[in-house]
């Protein structure tokens, strides 16, 4: 799989990364580790996690996985959204519901809804050096490491960054070798203000991007993108299904049957890689077969022209599909 420098961290990793928001949660540790191994066996070497993921247990699970593959994996984690306070209750619920889930797969969705409903909204962080350092210490312990390749401020806004000691802490941690680099992980609409008002924090920018979005100027800084599919895939597939003449014409232009959900998803993911050649593209899945398929898509150079053509069509003619704003 294609490799890329991980920003200013000093390490190289794969351009396709695995988002660990899909591990733990309704999945137990055994199944979550199997997912991580599926990603590794598919050639993926970058893993993105956060203290909040998996109802607070994803970092610990990833830490166990890292012990199996020392020195072979790059990791991003974050500070800014705290883990839930009722981790033990969620874990107990998973243990009780596990046998039921295996017999009734549909029960997974119900358990996920219950877990989400019983998890309070995240407490807003202060984005101070002291709080950030405490969060990093917890992450290092859970990940069973003394070094994190990339550390991001999670869901931060420009107005949150009022304490310069936080920036000094992050710079010192790089010098000490505790983190390789740092940056921002937030929503795309928050990025312009952050870059304009706090450029020193923005060594890396991580935010959502799909083929519905405009192309990006890649002069600087380093970027990581996610949500290339998610809701946008369903929106585009539904819109094409309702407009058969346009779907047929686009299918002919891309030499791909875009009425086929798997084929459309494959081109959308490939378009994210092709249109963002200097970025890492993250995805998440609970299905090992989908993980393997996405890795094969990333490595398949024969899809590049079709993926680029799909992007051009969406940008030039997407208004005919009445797609929602990204």
């Amino acid at each position: 799989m294609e490799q890329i420098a991980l920003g200013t961290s000093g390490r190289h990793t794969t351009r396709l990364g695995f988002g660990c928001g899909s591990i733990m949660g309704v999945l137990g540790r055994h199944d979550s580790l199997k997912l991580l191994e599926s990603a590794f066996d598919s050639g993926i070497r970058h893993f993105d996690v956060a203290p909040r993921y998996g109802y607070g247990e994803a970092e610990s699970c990833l830490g166990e996985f890292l012990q199996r593959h020392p020195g072979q994996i790059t990791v991003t984690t974050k500070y800014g959204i705290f883990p839930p306070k009722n981790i033990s209750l969620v874990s107990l619920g998973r243990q009780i519901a596990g046998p039921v889930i295996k017999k009734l797969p549909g029960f997974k969705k119900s358990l996920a809804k219950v877990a989400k409903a019983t998890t309070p909204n995240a407490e807003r962080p202060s984005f101070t050096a002291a709080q950030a350092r405490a969060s990093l210490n917890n992450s290092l312990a859970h990940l069973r490491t003394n070094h994190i390749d990339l550390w991001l401020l999670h869901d931060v806004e420009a107005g949150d960054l009022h304490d310069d000691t936080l920036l000094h802490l992050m710079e010192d941690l790089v010098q000490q070798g505790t983190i390789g680099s740092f940056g921002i992980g937030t929503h795309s609409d928050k990025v312009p203000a952050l870059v304009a008002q706090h450029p020193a924090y923005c060594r890396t920018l991580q935010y959502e991007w799909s083929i519905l979005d405009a192309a990006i100027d890649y002069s600087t800084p380093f970027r990581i993108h996610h949500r290339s599919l998610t809701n946008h895939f369903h929106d585009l597939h539904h819109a094409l299904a309702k407009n058969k003449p346009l779907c047929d014409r686009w299918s002919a232009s891309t030499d791909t049957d875009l009425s086929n959900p798997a084929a459309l998803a494959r081109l959308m993911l490939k378009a994210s890689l092709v249109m963002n050649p200097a970025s890492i593209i993250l995805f998440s899945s609970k299905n090992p077969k989908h993980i393997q398929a996405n890795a094969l898509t990333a490595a398949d150079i024969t899809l590049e022209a079709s993926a680029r053509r799909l992007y051009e069509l969406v940008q030039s003619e997407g208004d005919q599909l009445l797609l929602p704003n990204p």
Side-chain angles (χ1 to χ4, degrees):
M1 190 177 294
E2 184 182 0
Q3 300 273 319
I4 191 172
L6 181 58
T8 59
S9 71
R11 296 195 66 189
H12 281 71
T13 193
T14 50
R15 286 204 56 220
L16 189 66
F18 187 75
C20 294
S22 57
I23 66 173
M24 303 305 288
V26 298
L27 292 180
R29 198 176 193 88
H30 176 74
D31 289 337
S32 294
L33 287 167
K34 285 178 63 177
L35 271 187
L36 295 174
E37 292 292 354
S38 294
F40 185 86
D41 290 344
S42 298
I44 295 168
R45 294 295 181 267
H46 184 69
F47 292 79
D48 177 274
V49 73
R52 181 77 174 181
Y53 292 175
Y55 303 109
E57 295 187 303
E59 280 188 325
S60 175
C61 182
L62 183 61
E64 181 176 343
F65 170 72
L66 294 177
Q67 297 300 301
R68 302 177 181 180
H69 307 283
Q72 301 180 65
I73 292 166
T74 57
V75 173
T76 294
T77 194
K78 309 174 187 78
Y79 151 65
I81 302 181
F82 300 124
K85 297 178 180 179
N86 59 344
I87 294 175
S88 59
L89 291 177
V90 175
S91 297
L92 179 61
R94 186 191 304 114
Q95 293 172 21
I96 295 172
V100 179
I101 288 174
K102 290 182 179 179
K103 293 182 179 180
L104 300 171
F107 186 67
K108 279 186 179 182
K109 292 183 179 179
S110 299
L111 179 60
K113 289 179 181 178
V114 170
K116 186 174 182 179
T118 57
T119 302
N121 292 331
E123 176 188 349
R124 201 61 195 151
S126 62
F127 288 104
T128 59
Q131 192 181 75
R133 181 76 221 209
S135 176
L136 178 62
N137 287 342
N138 286 334
S139 292
L140 290 167
H142 291 150
L143 291 166
R144 308 185 194 184
T145 185
N146 59 8
H147 175 84
I148 290 170
D149 300 294
L150 182 59
W151 193 41
L152 303 180
L153 300 182
H154 201 183
D155 202 26
V156 68
E157 301 179 17
D160 294 326
L161 300 178
H162 47 75
D163 184 355
D164 286 342
T165 60
L166 174 57
L167 177 61
H168 299 327
L169 169 68
M170 300 174 87
E171 292 172 336
D172 289 344
L173 289 168
V174 171
Q175 291 298 317
Q176 296 164 13
T178 306
I179 62 175
S181 189
F182 59 83
I184 300 292
T186 193
H187 299 286
S188 58
D189 60 342
K190 305 295 192 302
V191 169
L194 284 160
V195 172
Q197 298 176 36
H198 304 285
Y201 284 92
C202 301
R203 294 188 183 185
T204 292
L205 296 174
Q206 180 168 307
Y207 57 93
E208 68 276 16
W209 192 93
S210 79
I211 61 174
L212 303 186
D213 293 299
I216 297 171
D217 176 10
Y218 274 92
S219 54
T220 189
F222 180 68
R223 297 172 196 250
I224 300 173
H225 296 298
H226 56 93
R227 292 186 177 273
S228 59
L229 300 176
T230 320
N231 295 333
H232 300 311
F233 162 71
H234 297 289
D235 292 336
L236 183 55
H237 182 253
H238 181 68
L240 287 170
K242 291 175 61 177
N243 191 333
K244 190 175 185 304
L246 190 67
C247 182
D248 289 344
R249 184 161 59 79
W250 283 19
S251 294
S253 184
T254 60
D255 194 27
T256 304
D257 180 7
L258 298 179
S259 67
N260 182 314
L264 176 61
R266 189 161 54 246
L267 275 200
M268 289 181 69
L269 176 62
K270 191 65 177 182
S272 292
L273 290 157
V274 170
M275 299 308 300
N276 298 282
S279 292
I280 289 173
I281 302 298
L282 300 174
F283 78 97
S284 186
S285 176
K286 296 184 180 74
N287 188 323
K289 291 183 179 179
H290 291 169
I291 293 172
Q292 183 180 33
N294 286 347
L296 291 172
T297 294
D300 190 349
I301 62 174
T302 67
L303 295 174
E304 291 181 2
S306 294
R308 189 180 300 277
R309 181 56 181 153
L310 177 62
Y311 178 75
E312 293 169 350
L313 289 167
V314 170
Q315 291 297 308
S316 62
E317 303 179 26
D319 56 339
Q320 299 182 44
L321 295 173
L322 301 177
L323 291 167
N325 291 328

